[in-house]
Amino acid sequence: MSTSATESAWTLLRNRGFAMVLGYRILALLSYQVVAVSVGWHIYQLTGNTFSLGLVGLAEVLPFFCVAPFAGYLVDHLPRRRLGMAACTALALTALVLVGAARHWWPGTPLWPIYAAIALTGMARSFLSPIYNALFARVLPREQFVRGASLGSVIFQTALVCGPALGGVLVGVGGEALAYGVAMVLALGAGAVLFKLRVDEPGPPKESLPIFASIAQGGRFVWNHPIMLGAMALDMFSVLLGGVVAMLPAFIQDILQHGPEGLGILRSAPALGAVGVGLWLARHPLHKNAGRILLWAVAGFGLCVIAFGLSRSFWLSAAILVAYGICDGVSMIVRSTILQLATPDDMRGRVSSINGIFISSSNELGAFYAGTMARLLGLVPAVLLGGAAILMVVGVTAKRAPALRRLDLKDLH
């Protein structure tokens, strides 16, 4: 397949293996997102207690963190396609348990089956990205990794927009059981795509270390790779400190004076920006000055956080969040491309799991940080402080990580 400058994202999809890997990713993400939005509604309908909603996140994140390092090890040592099918089956089983909870298969209204299903979701989710990243590298040649990462980012952001919307519509039309049933079908569909996928998979590493030593080997690789470590840390701190999205309900009511329809628009705006820049970069991939572009993108992300905190106009705020999503999309694409190009094939699972822990910790802790700072300082000062802190992180990273600052992606080929 041609890799000329005029090659479009659609040309990449002529690669049947790559199209199927993307199909697996979007179906699995849609299944997870439908469950995520539906289970929150379900729990709150049963309890009317916001603390119960907080336990949903805890029930998923703790198993994710516990399983993720071992998931990476297994992805590097077992057939990745079969392991992905098993993870999709676990997602489908999760949805089936939730169907039972919605249909009252157990007497009364017990919450334990719901929380158990959420915990299983966290375990299964720890496998999804490592498997995607490992298969991605087997279906595309290295010279197409940059465009492939851009298109993968588009798929990811599209699922983040469509999944919650689909879940909300399904709950509204037919209740929680219908939403969970559709999520089960989507998960089985993701597994079926992997079943049909034909890809040349490497065997297990020739020198197999004990499991904990092998996990530690992945950690040392990331720690001793200044470009990868710098990119991961930069992304982690920017998301941790720039938790604007978590505060949108408060901004809508207290600052912008809009209703729930306005919240929906603002929640979609960052993904719109990220999808747009992903499509652009799939056609015009980055190669030169990728490190500087990454630093400027994260600096732009911080400036967008500050601008959003200062805005009092709804539509200006929406436009700022589109720019926020563009900057975040550039950061995600550059970081994922670095991950693909710099990671040896026999370590993709472990390195991807470490990357997943970075991302998940920043998302979950970022929401907690934003809420805590808003409580201590007030809503707008907390957001402004977060944006200023992001700019400081960019400055420190640019100074302390010269290899990242000078990075051209062609240097990683």
Side-chain angles (χ1 to χ4, degrees):
M1 183 163 34
S2 171
T3 58
S4 67
T6 58
E7 183 181 32
S8 70
W10 303 113
T11 306
L12 283 177
L13 296 178
R14 295 177 188 170
N15 181 326
R16 187 170 184 269
F18 181 57
M20 294 183 76
V21 169
L22 290 183
Y24 148 73
R25 189 179 206 197
I26 195 168
L27 288 172
L29 283 172
L30 284 174
S31 174
Y32 164 71
Q33 291 290 331
V34 167
V35 166
V37 72
S38 304
V39 82
W41 177 268
H42 191 184
I43 287 280
Y44 197 68
Q45 289 295 107
L46 291 175
T47 67
N49 187 345
T50 55
F51 181 69
S52 299
L53 291 177
L55 291 178
V56 171
L58 190 65
E60 181 180 350
V61 168
L62 289 180
F64 175 88
F65 282 159
C66 292
V67 173
F70 301 97
Y73 173 85
L74 293 174
V75 170
D76 285 338
H77 288 78
L78 297 178
R80 293 152 177 182
R81 189 174 61 89
R82 294 182 182 179
L83 200 58
M85 292 165 58
C88 293
T89 301
L91 285 181
L93 179 60
T94 293
L96 180 61
V97 172
L98 291 170
V99 168
R103 291 293 189 185
H104 306 292
W105 291 353
W106 298 275
T109 56
L111 295 180
W112 68 262
I114 300 177
Y115 286 118
I118 294 167
L120 180 59
T121 298
M123 296 178 192
R125 190 167 68 88
S126 68
F127 287 89
L128 298 181
S129 288
I131 289 167
Y132 167 77
N133 287 321
L135 292 176
F136 175 102
R138 304 302 299 180
V139 297
L140 280 182
R142 288 179 67 86
E143 62 268 18
Q144 293 179 351
F145 278 9
V146 179
R147 285 191 173 93
S150 300
L151 194 54
S153 174
V154 171
I155 293 296
F156 180 80
Q157 295 291 344
T158 300
L160 292 186
V161 174
C162 296
L166 177 61
V169 169
L170 291 171
V171 170
V173 170
E176 295 90 349
L178 175 62
Y180 297 143
V182 170
M184 181 171 63
V185 172
L186 290 168
L188 292 174
V193 169
L194 290 181
F195 178 76
K196 300 289 286 185
L197 176 66
R198 294 295 175 262
V199 62
D200 179 27
E201 293 199 59
K206 295 180 181 179
E207 297 181 4
S208 184
L209 297 173
I211 182 168
F212 288 104
S214 181
I215 293 171
Q217 183 185 44
R220 285 194 303 272
F221 176 82
V222 172
W223 182 260
N224 293 323
H225 198 294
I227 292 174
M228 186 180 296
L229 181 63
M232 285 186 184
L234 189 63
D235 182 80
M236 181 185 73
F237 283 110
S238 64
V239 175
L240 177 65
L241 298 168
V244 167
V245 173
M247 295 294 101
L248 285 182
F251 267 95
I252 280 289
Q253 295 186 46
D254 300 341
I255 306 296
L256 302 175
Q257 306 296 319
H258 267 255
E261 72 285 351
L263 177 60
I265 292 172
L266 294 189
R267 285 294 299 265
S268 300
L272 177 64
V275 167
V277 78
L279 289 172
W280 172 265
L281 290 177
R283 189 175 180 86
H284 305 88
L286 295 173
H287 290 291
K288 295 183 178 180
N289 301 317
R292 291 186 180 183
I293 290 172
L294 173 62
L295 291 166
W296 279 112
V298 178
F301 183 86
L303 290 173
C304 288
V305 171
I306 293 173
F308 183 85
L310 295 174
S311 173
R312 297 296 179 269
S313 164
F314 174 79
W315 290 111
L316 176 59
S317 295
I320 291 169
L321 287 179
V322 171
Y324 171 101
I326 290 172
C327 295
D328 188 41
V330 172
S331 172
M332 176 186 296
I333 290 166
V334 174
R335 178 175 44 81
S336 60
T337 305
I338 291 171
L339 183 74
Q340 291 291 355
L341 290 173
T343 306
D345 196 66
D346 62 348
M347 297 182 68
R348 290 190 184 278
R350 284 164 287 172
V351 172
S352 181
S353 291
I354 294 169
N355 180 61
I357 291 172
F358 269 72
I359 295 170
S360 293
S361 64
S362 61
N363 284 329
E364 300 295 334
L365 294 177
F368 175 75
Y369 166 84
T372 302
M373 295 303 290
R375 180 71 176 269
L376 294 174
L377 303 177
L379 186 58
V380 172
V383 170
L384 298 179
L385 178 63
I390 291 172
L391 297 179
M392 292 179 61
V393 168
V394 173
V396 171
T397 303
K399 183 176 181 180
R400 299 294 298 273
L404 178 62
R405 186 179 69 245
R406 295 192 295 263
L407 172 68
D408 285 343
L409 290 179
K410 60 182 176 60
D411 297 336
L412 297 176
H413 283 277

